[in-house]
Amino acid sequence: MSPPVPPAGTAPPPPSPPPASPRRRSRLVAALACVLVLALAVAGLAVFRPGPVAGWLGDDDASGTAVAAPPEPTPPAVLAGPDGNAPLPTEAGIRAALDPLVRAAALGDRVHLSVADVSTGQALYGSGQDTPTVPASVTKLATGVAVLAARGPAYRIPTKAVAGANPGEVVLVGGGDPTLAVDKDGFYPGAARLDDLAAQVRNALGGTAPTKVIVDSSLFTGPVFEPGWDSDIPTGGFGAAITALMTDGARKNPAEARRTAEQTNHAAERVPQPDLTAGRQFAKLLGLTGGAAQVTRGAAPAASGATGTAPGAELGTVESLPMIRLVDIMISDSDNVIAEAMARQVALAKGKPGSFVGGAAATGQVLGELGLPAGEISLADGSGLSRTNRISPSLLTDLITLAGNGSHPELAAIFGGLPVGGWSGTLDERYRAAATSAGAGVVRAKTGTLSGVNAIAGTVTTADGRLLTFAVLTDRTQGSLDETRAALDRITSALAGCGCR
C-alpha cells in the first residue's frame, strides 16, 4: 500500500542524487521531453505530481505568478525513457555488480531476479528468473497491462439508472466503477458522481416522483472477499467487499479519508455492504426519506427497446475516468479496491464471470494472447493481497519490456503511476542514503509487501543512459522491513550507478 501524494502546493523534500554534469543534465531533459511526447500521444493527457517537476517546468502558482526554476541540483529524470544508442551493459558486468548484493541476508533464501534491456528485450541477468514467486502488490502490473489490453486506455465504466417495474421505481445499476463519488467531495478527483446521475433521473421522470430505489450489483459474482486473503484484510483499511456498485472505494467517510490519507497511508474504514450504501446515498439525493429510503437489491427490468419511463428504460448514466487514469491511480496509490475492479473488467471483456476466479483466469488469458509466458503466472486476485498468487520475475520483465518498447503503445499507461525513487509513492523515502542515492530519480518501480514477502519491479536508467527493466521477488525474507527494502534498493541502485560493461 503506497503512501499518498502530498496535496497541491506541498513540495516533498527533494532527493539527493549526486551533482549532474552538464552532459547528463542535457540527456535527462531530452529524455523527459521524449517521454512526455509519447505520453501525450498515447493518453491524450499528462498527469503531473505536484512538487519539484511542476516548478521545473515553469508552472504558475495559484496567484498566476510564474514560478522560477529551482537552483541546482537539477531535478531527476522522473520520466526517463529508453535511449537505444546508449551502450548496452554486458551480462558479465551486471553479474559482477549484482551477485554480491543478491546474497544479502535480509533478502532470505528465496531471491528470484530478472534484468533485461527494454529496447531489445535481451535478458541480461537471471537468478531463479523463471520461478513463480509470491508477488504481493507487484501483481498490479499484470492487472494493469491486462485491463489496458482488454478494454483500451480510453474505456470508461458506466453507472446507469433505469426505470423499475412500477411507476417511480428507480434501479441503480452498478457497472463496476470503484471510484464513483456521491458528490463533489468524493475521494477520487474527477470521478463520476451520483448527484449528477440523480439530476438526470429527476429530469427523465418528469412529473413522476421517485418512490423507491433498487440496486442491481449483479455484474460482479462470487465472494466479495478472496478466500486467500489474510484475515485482517476485510477490516484493516486497505481492502473492501468487492461489489459492482460502490462509492469512493467503499470508504465510510471519503472526505475525512482524503484529508488524512498521508497519515494513514491510504488506509480507511470501509462500509460492509458497498452496494446498499451507494443505493441509500442515491435515494437521499432523489429526495427519498423514511421508509421510501430503504433500499433493496434486485434486478433491472430488461430494456427491450423501452423508452421514456417504461420498465427498463434508461433514465441516466455517468461514466468513470478513462481506464488510463484508473490504472494510474491503481499503481501510484497501490489501490487494492481499484485493482480488483480492474481484474473484473478484464473478465467481462473476455466473456468471463466478474469474479475473483473470472478476473484471474482472464488476466492469464490476455497475457498469453500478448505473447507472454502465461504458464509462469497463477493468480487468485488482481491486487496481490492473496498469498496464493505466483508470478515469475522474467514474466514481469517481459511484461514491462512489452509495455515500454513501443510495440503496444496502449500498454504504456502502466508507467505513468510508477513510484519514482526518492520522489513519490512507496519509493518516496527510499534511495536517500549514500549507498542507494544512484537510484534516486531513475528507478521507477512498483513495490509489493506482505509479511515475509518483499518485491520490486520496474525500470531503471543506467549511468550510460540505457533503460533496463528489473524484477526482484523474495518470499522468505528475514530481518526488519527496513533492512529488506535497503537490500532491494542496493540491487536497483547498482544497476543505476554502473555502465556494467
Side-chain angles (χ1 to χ4, degrees):
M1 278 53 73
S2 303
V5 171
T10 303
S16 302
S21 67
R23 177 177 177 272
R24 179 165 174 76
R25 289 198 300 270
S26 176
R27 186 177 69 242
L28 297 185
V29 173
L32 173 60
C34 291
V35 175
L36 284 175
V37 171
L38 174 61
L40 289 167
V42 172
L45 54 87
V47 179
F48 298 105
R49 175 183 184 274
V53 166
W56 184 35
L57 295 179
D59 289 358
D60 292 347
D61 65 16
S63 67
T65 303
V67 178
E72 294 289 337
T74 300
V78 298
L79 293 176
D83 178 2
N85 295 319
L88 179 68
T90 66
E91 295 180 35
I94 289 186
R95 184 166 299 279
L98 299 190
D99 271 351
L101 303 176
V102 172
R103 294 192 290 268
L107 297 177
D109 60 2
R110 266 174 59 92
V111 185
H112 298 150
L113 173 63
S114 176
V115 179
D117 177 59
V118 171
S119 294
T120 65
Q122 179 181 338
L124 298 173
Y125 182 89
S127 177
Q129 68 272 20
D130 299 329
T131 304
T133 312
V134 182
S137 277
V138 169
T139 301
K140 294 181 177 71
L141 293 176
T143 301
V145 163
V147 76
L148 288 167
R151 285 300 200 197
Y155 182 80
R156 296 174 184 260
I157 303 170
T159 301
K160 297 180 180 181
V162 303
N166 301 303
E169 288 184 348
V170 179
V171 184
L172 182 59
V173 184
D177 176 11
T179 65
L180 180 68
V182 179
D183 51 33
K184 63 181 178 60
D185 292 322
F187 183 83
Y188 301 99
R193 290 164 40 179
L194 280 180
D195 58 351
D196 290 338
L197 184 59
Q200 294 178 42
V201 169
R202 287 192 296 269
N203 183 63
L205 289 176
T208 302
T211 59
K212 182 179 182 181
V213 169
I214 300 167
V215 299
D216 185 346
S217 57
S218 61
L219 189 65
F220 290 176
T221 59
V224 295
F225 300 111
E226 205 285 309
W229 285 358
D230 289 352
S231 60
D232 63 340
I233 295 299
T235 59
F238 292 109
I242 307 302
T243 56
L245 177 65
M246 66 170 63
T247 54
D248 299 296
R251 289 169 177 83
K252 186 174 183 179
N253 188 334
E256 177 67 15
R258 190 176 62 248
R259 285 193 296 270
T260 62
E262 185 171 358
Q263 291 75 36
T264 63
N265 215 16
H266 279 273
E269 185 179 357
R270 314 285 172 144
V271 298
Q273 297 177 308
D275 55 343
L276 291 180
T277 297
R280 288 190 286 269
Q281 293 164 331
F282 191 59
K284 183 178 180 180
L285 290 168
L286 289 176
L288 300 179
T289 59
Q294 299 305 306
V295 174
T296 59
R297 295 186 179 99
S304 302
T307 58
T309 59
E314 185 174 312
L315 302 176
T317 184
V318 291
E319 294 185 329
S320 72
L321 293 161
M323 195 61 62
I324 186 174
R325 184 69 183 115
L326 295 179
V327 170
D328 184 63
I329 297 170
M330 174 188 72
I331 292 177
S332 63
D333 293 346
S334 201
D335 193 307
N336 296 308
V337 175
I338 291 182
E340 297 305 341
M342 295 299 95
R344 282 160 174 74
Q345 289 298 322
V346 182
L348 297 171
K350 304 307 289 186
K352 297 183 183 297
S355 63
F356 284 106
V357 172
T363 297
Q365 177 184 336
V366 170
L367 297 185
E369 292 169 352
L370 289 170
L372 298 168
E376 295 179 14
I377 182 170
S378 175
L379 298 180
D381 67 18
S383 63
L385 290 174
S386 177
R387 292 179 180 273
T388 61
N389 289 343
R390 298 290 185 273
I391 304 178
S392 74
S394 61
L395 183 143
L396 287 167
T397 53
D398 287 348
L399 178 151
I400 294 167
T401 295
L402 189 69
N405 65 12
S407 63
H408 289 269
E410 73 278 7
L411 306 182
I414 67 163
F415 298 113
L418 282 179
V420 179
W423 195 69
S424 66
T426 50
L427 299 182
D428 186 17
E429 297 301 321
R430 294 164 67 168
Y431 299 95
R432 293 175 180 267
T436 59
S437 61
V442 293
V443 170
R444 295 176 56 84
K446 183 73 191 78
T447 59
T449 305
L450 295 169
S451 58
V453 177
N454 293 90
I456 186 168
T459 64
V460 56
T461 306
T462 70
D464 287 334
R466 193 80 184 193
L467 188 69
L468 306 182
T469 174
F470 63 86
V472 191
L473 307 184
T474 65
D475 55 15
R476 292 181 190 165
T477 56
Q478 301 174 1
S480 72
L481 179 59
D482 286 343
E483 290 173 339
T484 301
R485 286 176 171 171
L488 291 173
D489 294 349
R490 284 193 289 272
I491 291 174
T492 51
S493 294
L495 291 173
C498 81
C500 296
R501 289 181 282 157

